[in-house]
Amino acid sequence: MGRYLTGVDVSQYQGNINWQKVTEAKIDFAHIRSNVGLKADTLLADNCTKVGVPFGLYVYIKPEEDVVAQMRMMLDNHKRFKATLIPQIDIEHDGGKKPKELKEIVRTCIKMATDELGKPPAIYTYPSFWNAHVTIAKNIDHCPLWVARYVYYSAEEFKANPVPKDVSLWAEYAFNSKKTPATVKGWKDWDVWQFAGNHDNAGRRFGMESAHLDLNIMKEESFTRFVL
């Protein structure tokens, strides 16, 4: 079993974050929300100026709004706060758009980020959403895949399965490489797996005002794809 890195993705919903506690917990990376659509995250500046681990920004794309303006906002923030990891494009909402339109939106996002930063962004999505609504199946795997697929483990499974050292941070949830997410069209494999959503109380254990925190695992060999 390869080594996996632990990561947090945070927004204003985590409330105030004690980033020193996050660092002390040996979290390996973070992605911080820049904006949802054209609305800025209210804690972006606070998080970006206090974060103590390698970090990137992410934008929750609202296809019904001006996508170029959404990307411009995120990329300007990326430069302003000197993010060290590639940005993440969060595409999980169709905004009433058809697959053909969503394809063009995603391609626009990828081009803007790549042109500006010299590396393609990561794509965050759910298998069911991407496969039904976006359906890009070719020339997309140059972008790292950040897949959301929640798999919960019983206490018995947690004790029975060997857990990589870093993953043991996640309390009763154990990452097991044999439990993989569904295939996402266009990629043979994932780079980051958000394997648990709204993990109750994890946020407070890692220095956050909110109890809820999503859990992410990155393949160690994928880290170079994220570093700028």
Side-chain angles (χ1 to χ4, degrees):
M1 181 181 290
R3 183 172 182 267
Y4 300 92
L5 308 179
T6 50
V8 294
D9 60 288
V10 300
S11 70
Q12 65 193 54
Y13 295 112
Q14 270 63 55
N16 294 316
I17 298 174
N18 182 336
W19 282 103
Q20 182 177 349
K21 190 171 182 180
V22 173
T23 303
E24 290 171 353
K26 298 182 179 179
I27 299 299
D28 296 295
F29 67 97
H31 268 68
I32 298 168
R33 191 174 75 175
S34 165
N35 47 296
V36 51
L38 293 170
K39 185 177 181 180
D41 192 279
T42 59
L43 290 179
L44 170 66
D46 190 63
N47 285 329
C48 288
T49 53
K50 294 178 180 178
V51 60
V53 297
F55 77 100
L57 301 186
Y58 77 92
V59 51
Y60 180 101
I61 294 294
K62 298 189 76 171
E64 67 272 28
E65 296 181 2
D66 185 334
V67 173
V68 171
Q70 293 175 60
M71 285 296 295
R72 186 71 265 150
M73 182 183 294
M74 185 274 291
L75 290 168
D76 286 348
N77 286 329
H78 188 284
K79 181 178 180 180
R80 174 188 174 195
F81 294 111
K82 298 180 171 63
T84 56
L85 303 180
I86 60 172
Q88 175 211 109
I89 309 303
D90 182 338
I91 181 76
E92 56 180 288
H93 165 69
D94 66 18
K97 302 294 184 180
K98 297 179 180 179
K100 182 178 179 180
E101 295 171 299
L102 290 174
K103 285 185 175 73
E104 290 308 309
I105 286 171
V106 171
R107 290 182 179 124
T108 294
C109 293
I110 293 171
K111 186 177 188 306
M112 287 185 68
T114 305
D115 287 350
E116 184 134 341
L117 301 174
K119 292 182 80 169
I123 301 296
Y124 170 97
T125 194
Y126 292 83
S128 57
F129 176 81
W130 183 273
N131 294 344
H133 296 276
V134 184
T135 68
I136 297 176
K138 295 180 179 179
N139 301 319
I140 189 68
D141 59 356
H142 62 296
C143 296
L145 172 62
W146 191 317
V147 61
R149 174 69 170 87
Y150 305 143
V151 180
Y152 296 93
Y153 294 80
S154 66
E156 291 73 21
E157 286 181 299
F158 181 78
K159 291 176 181 177
N161 291 313
V163 182
K165 180 172 180 283
D166 302 287
V167 185
S168 64
L169 293 169
W170 297 143
E172 73 272 22
Y173 293 95
F175 171 75
N176 180 343
S177 61
K178 293 180 180 179
K179 289 193 174 184
T180 58
T183 300
V184 180
K185 290 179 181 177
W187 288 273
K188 292 181 179 179
D189 207 351
W190 54 272
D191 293 278
V192 182
W193 180 3
Q194 187 179 89
F195 72 97
N198 286 330
H199 179 12
D200 193 26
N201 294 319
R204 293 208 176 107
R205 288 197 303 112
F206 295 114
M208 302 179 187
E209 189 175 356
S210 169
H212 297 295
L213 179 67
D214 296 336
L215 310 183
N216 300 279
I217 297 301
M218 180 189 290
K219 292 179 178 178
E220 185 179 41
E221 61 268 28
S222 293
F223 189 67
T224 56
R225 301 188 72 188
F226 281 78
V227 177
L228 286 169

